[in-house]
Amino acid sequence: MKTIIVYSTKYDFTKERVLEIATALQSDVKLVNINEEKSPSLEAFDAVILGGSVFMGQINKTLKAFCSDNEATLSSKKLGLFLSCGLPDSIGTHFANAFPQSLLDQALVKVNLGGELRLGQMSFGDKMITKMMIKANEKEGGKLPTAIPSAIDELIKTFA
């Protein structure tokens, strides 16, 4: 089975998870960072895995547009969706905002890969906002975002 993983990443957490997924699938997998290759063709692939990082409540606009523009083609593929989101309590809302309803209904798997705060890589503005969010989260007794390895396992199991 030929698989394409189309993803977006802001601070490379998602890219690292996508590389883990591709390695574990041990099949013909093409990786496409939608920020670098705007309109990959899906015709040659049996399966498509789509996802990206949630930052400030949204996914990458280019990925969101790609999903909408290719909705008809995606409906004929084995489909998996993922988000990298450090706020698991709101993941349903993030999926609803990120993907067209038809893709959400069709997807064989929808997983949250978790997240990670990489302050050292962030721009000044992103760092300031993130630090405020961390302080608010600490006051409420919340945990910092972390990866969710079981989500990767579920995705791999579905597409292996």
Side-chain angles (χ1 to χ4, degrees):
M1 175 170 57
K2 291 181 71 173
T3 303
I4 185 170
I5 303 175
V6 180
Y7 70 98
S8 67
T9 187
K10 184 154 177 122
Y11 295 114
D12 287 339
F13 173 85
T14 302
K15 180 180 180 179
E16 292 167 9
R17 302 299 76 78
V18 165
L19 290 171
E20 286 179 46
I21 293 164
T23 300
L25 286 176
Q26 297 180 343
S27 62
D28 190 1
V29 179
K30 179 179 180 178
L31 305 179
V32 175
N33 181 339
I34 197 71
N35 298 317
E36 297 169 0
E37 186 178 335
K38 300 292 185 210
S39 297
S41 174
L42 302 174
E43 298 305 322
F45 299 95
D46 307 302
V48 179
I49 301 172
L50 299 166
S53 54
V54 175
F55 193 74
M56 302 299 177
Q58 298 293 320
I59 67 163
N60 176 281
K61 291 177 185 177
T62 305
L63 178 63
K64 194 170 187 171
F66 176 81
C67 292
S68 295
D69 294 346
N70 291 282
E71 202 169 342
T73 303
L74 289 165
S75 69
S76 67
K77 307 291 181 182
K78 183 175 181 180
L79 182 65
L81 302 174
F82 72 85
L83 291 173
S84 296
C85 179
L87 304 171
D89 293 343
S90 59
I91 196 64
T93 301
H94 292 306
F95 268 109
N97 289 336
F99 301 104
Q101 187 61 48
S102 66
L103 299 185
L104 291 169
D105 293 341
Q106 176 196 340
L108 299 174
V109 63
K110 297 179 282 275
V111 296
N112 177 17
L113 303 180
E116 192 174 271
L117 301 176
R118 297 181 172 187
L119 292 172
Q121 296 176 344
M122 292 183 184
S123 67
F124 178 76
D126 288 351
K127 193 180 295 186
M128 294 290 291
I129 292 168
T130 301
K131 284 182 178 181
M132 287 189 298
M133 290 172 48
I134 290 170
K135 284 183 184 180
N137 190 39
E138 287 173 349
K139 285 181 182 177
E140 296 174 7
K143 297 178 183 177
L144 290 176
T146 186
I148 304 173
S150 61
I152 292 174
D153 295 340
E154 185 177 350
L155 194 63
I156 291 164
K157 182 180 173 183
T158 302
F159 286 87

